[in-house]
């Protein structure tokens, strides 16, 4: 089994050898580490992608907008890097769409890291494959095929609001139960068990 | 009184960093301190009469066990090489996480002796190999076989029986990634497992030499005197492999240096120094002074440094005796100011190390601050502006941006990775081929490029937008924002200039390891000694933290 450190270093060097700058290659190395750690087929997809770009050109997107459409597939690395770099600028947008991203598995770790940067969960749908990114700590998904995904024709991103997953009644019920670990204070305890006095008019 | 931390722009010069010495913060000293209540055991020792075979040693506490697995091999003299190009070694080692089973030992026996071309698993933590110092090893075997202890003078010329030529960890060749084990409290300091491996290897060298002597002359042979064992360490031969590490781990570098600088600052701020504290300082200084006389090197460069160091230490000791009174307020601050004014870097940093010796209460809490999780600081804050970036470059890299890289002397070298051995190398870009595959170690040059690139840009431009067309400099944009938060994260020097001494970079790292007796063999590699004077594994409970000065008596 390859260690994540080996995966990081080899992916970084292979990306540099394929024409990416050192800075972008560093991002790719870290991303492959993330993908493999989360159980996605990062190395497999990167390997095929780096072979493919020798023969096929993909579009480099610069500024990310709400709708990003192109007949030529976007490069997942440049799209991902700019998505990550610009995430703060479109934080107000609730949804972002891409049409055609090549090798979209390589785009996934950028979204995961963006979720941590903005402190919000992000929902990602690549065609029929759904994923929920939890602040770069975990990815919830049913998609665990160890496959090479050469293109995602419709990519949908939802920047989710931070809100509770439960209602107020459920919370109150739970809180009430938690109160049973608290001690009712007697008059004596009120005076002696806390640090400060009952009046602090000195 | 408040003392300022030393200015990174002066401190982080390579000539200064290349003058650092071991100290109480050093990893091999903190390793022994951490493991002093662990139980040592020799679990397996199956060597033939020539000393070839397998041995397993372990350190155990509660439910945690670390096992060193040793494979000793017969090799021809002509195959014995310290260089990384070697393919055979006298012995090869791995540190196993737990107790290896029979099938583990079989698997390891097929892979560990092969080193870089073998495969390890997540159950192995570190990997190393070592060669005998043939002259000393054979001499000791002969002496013991004849029933005599070896001559201490002859031994002290080398100081070890074996020299490791590489120690690998953190995921190399399939070894366990750091993330798997990083939360274990006993290894929260940097390089703890590498230190453990080297320390246990040292015991193997003693057991092996005793075993061979006994096999050679069962009736007459004696075992190596424990006092002599304590005075032997483990050698290490180190080349350029270490140099890029300190460039590629900026926050870790910061944390090492910051710990040292924080200790120095706090010691200088002590108003009243107790008699016992000043005595410990003077005692360590005197004992360590003897180290310099046993520091052997063929390197003229190092000889000059040692000569200068001896001269200046004498000058300092005279100053202490004649002109200094520890009863004065803030005595260590006064010492530091005198030292900085009157001595050179090698001696200044030597005395800084000595100043830490009396102060466990200052140094010990800092030991836990010397690791780093680089990933946490990896993301570039792309919402910041060009004005922010320019401010950082002008304030934190002010010496670097004055360098002129159109001058060939400043742009002379390039760092690359050897295809043959996957190791870093350095070469002249104007006379050698391969500079188009240069590694991103030329930070000063690339920072200067970044500074020129942004010179005419609008202050308000966001970094995220700037990077769209300037990703060729992304790696140094990242570094600049790291340096903003971590003042000692960057070498404030040119790592590709014609006057670069790469061993300064090695020396910096090795000093934090706790190495002594730096012996440069060229400007690109050196030999050192580790654990000389250290207690033996079954004496760990009685450890005296000043053991590093024991070997010197």
């Amino acid at each position: 089994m390859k260690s994540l450190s080996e995966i990081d270093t080899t992916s970084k060097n292979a990306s540099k050898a394929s024409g990416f700058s050192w800075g972008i290659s560093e991002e790719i190395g870290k991303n492959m580490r993330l993908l493999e750690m989360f159980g996605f087929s990062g190395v497999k997809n990167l390997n095929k992608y780096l072979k493919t770009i020798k023969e096929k050109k993909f579009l480099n997107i610069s500024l990310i907008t709400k709708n990003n459409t192109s007949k030529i597939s976007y490069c997942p690395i440049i799209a991902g890097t700019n998505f990550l770099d610009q995430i703060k600028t479109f934080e107000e947008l609730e949804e972002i769409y891409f049409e055609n991203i090549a090798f979209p598995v390589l785009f996934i770790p950028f979204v995961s890291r963006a979720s941590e940067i903005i402190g919000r969960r992000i929902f990602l749908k690549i065609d029929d494959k759904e994923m929920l990114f939890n602040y770069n700590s975990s990815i919830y998904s049913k998609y665990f095929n160890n496959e090479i995904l050469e293109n995602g024709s419709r990519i949908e991103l939802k920047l989710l609001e931070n809100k509770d997953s439960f209602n107020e009644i459920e919370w109150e019920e739970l809180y009430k139960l938690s109160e049973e670990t608290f001690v009712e204070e007697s008059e004596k305890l009120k005076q002696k068990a806390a640090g400060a006095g009952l009046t602090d008019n000195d | 009184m408040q003392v300022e931390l030393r200015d990174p722009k002066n401190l982080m010069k390579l000539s200064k960093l290349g003058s650092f010495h071991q100290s109480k913060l050093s990893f091999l000293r903190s390793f022994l301190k951490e493991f002093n209540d662990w139980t040592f055991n020799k679990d397996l020792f199956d060597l033939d009469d020539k000393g070839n075979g397998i041995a397993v040693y372990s350190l155990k506490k509660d439910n945690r066990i670390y096992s060193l697995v040793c494979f000793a091999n017969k090799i021809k003299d002509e195959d014995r090489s310290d260089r990384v190009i070697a393919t055979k070694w006298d012995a090869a080692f791995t540190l196993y996480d737990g107790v290896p089973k029979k099938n583990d030992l079989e698997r390891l026996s097929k892979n560990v002796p092969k080193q870089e071309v073998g495969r390890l698993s997540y159950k192995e933590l570190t990997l190393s190999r070592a060669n005998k110092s043939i002259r000393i090893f054979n001499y000791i075997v002969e002496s013991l076989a004849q029933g005599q202890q070896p001559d201490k003078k002859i031994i002290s010329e080398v100081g070890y029986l074996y020299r490791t030529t590489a120690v690998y960890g953190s995921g190399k060749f399939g070894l366990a990634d750091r993330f798997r084990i990083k939360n274990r409290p006993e290894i929260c300091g940097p390089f703890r497992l590498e230190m453990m491996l080297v320390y246990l290897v040292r015991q193997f060298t003693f057991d092996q030499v005793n075993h061979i002597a006994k096999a050679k002359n069962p009736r007459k042979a004696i075992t190596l005197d424990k006092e002599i064992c304590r005075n032997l360490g483990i050698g290490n031969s180190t080349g350029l492999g270490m140099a890029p590490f300190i460039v590629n781990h900026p926050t870790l570098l910061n944390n090492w240096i910051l710990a040292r600088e924080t200790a120095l600052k706090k010691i200088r701020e002590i108003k009243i120094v107790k008699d016992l504290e000043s005595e410990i300082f003077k005692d360590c200084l005197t004992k360590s002074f003897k180290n310099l006389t046993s520091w052997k090197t063929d390197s003229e460069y190092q000889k000059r440094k040692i000569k200068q160091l001896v001269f200046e230490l004498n000058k300092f000791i005279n100053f202490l005796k004649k002109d200094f009174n520890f009863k004065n307020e803030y005595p260590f601050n006064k010492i530091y100011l005198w030292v900085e004014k009157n001595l050179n870097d090698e001696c200044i940093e030597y005395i800084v190390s000595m100043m830490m010796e009396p102060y466990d209460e200052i140094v010990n809490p800092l030991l836990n601050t010397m690791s780093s999780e680089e990933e946490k600081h990896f993301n570039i804050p792309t919402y910041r502006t060009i004005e922010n970036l320019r401010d950082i470059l002008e304030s934190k890299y002010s010496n670097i941006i004055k360098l002129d890289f159109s001058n060939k002397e400043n742009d002379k070298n390039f760092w690359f990775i050897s295809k043959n051995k996957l190791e870093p190398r350095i070469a002249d870009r104007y006379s050698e081929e391969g500079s188009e595959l240069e590694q991103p170690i030329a930070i000063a040059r690339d920072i200067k490029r970044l500074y020129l690139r942004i010179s005419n840009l609008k202050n308000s431009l966001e970094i995220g937008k700037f990077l769209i067309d300037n990703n060729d400099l992304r790696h140094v944009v990242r570094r600049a924002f790291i340096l903003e938060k971590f003042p000692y994260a960057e070498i404030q020097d040119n790592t590709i200039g014609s006057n670069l001494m790469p061993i300064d970079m090695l020396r910096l790292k090795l000093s934090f390891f706790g190495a002594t007796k730096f012996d440069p063999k060229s400007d690109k590699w050196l030999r050192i000694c580790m654990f000389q004077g250290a207690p033996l594994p079954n004496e760990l409970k009685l450890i005296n933290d000043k053991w590093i000065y024991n070997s010197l008596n």
Side-chain angles (χ1 to χ4, degrees), chain B residues 10 38 75 118 137 192 196 215 306 328 373 449 462 527:
Chain B
N10 300 325
W38 286 58
I75 66 167
F137 194 92
R192 282 270 159 89
M196 185 188 296
I306 297 171
N328 289 335
E373 290 188 47
R449 281 181 183 165
E462 286 184 2
R527 287 181 179 166

Side-chain angles (χ1 to χ4, degrees), chain A residues 1-6 8 12-13 16 21-24 26-27 30 33 37 62-63 78 81-82 84-89 113 116-117, chain B residues 119-120 122 170-175 177 179-180 375 378-380 382-383 437-440 462 464-465 467-469 471-472 474-475 478:
Chain A
M1 185 187 177
K2 303 288 181 278
S3 69
L4 294 180
S5 167
E6 289 174 300
D8 185 333
K12 179 178 73 176
N13 291 340
K16 173 63 181 165
S21 71
W22 275 117
I24 295 276
E26 288 169 350
E27 305 285 351
K30 291 284 171 284
R33 181 188 274 261
M37 194 170 70
S62 300
L63 281 173
I78 299 303
T81 303
N82 287 323
L84 184 72
D85 286 353
Q86 295 163 34
I87 183 70
K88 289 258 183 190
T89 64
R113 291 166 59 194
E116 184 184 21
I117 288 172
Chain B
R119 282 303 294 175
L120 283 302
Y122 69 93
S170 297
K172 279 253 187 174
F173 315 117
L175 292 166
D177 278 301
F179 83 90
R180 290 180 182 273
E375 281 80 13
F378 183 74
N379 285 338
I380 299 170
T382 49
Y383 57 92
L437 300 175
E438 181 171 15
Q439 289 287 304
E462 286 184 2
K465 302 264 169 61
L467 283 172
I468 290 172
D469 296 318
N471 268 315
D472 57 319
R474 187 178 185 89
H475 63 296
R478 191 188 325 279

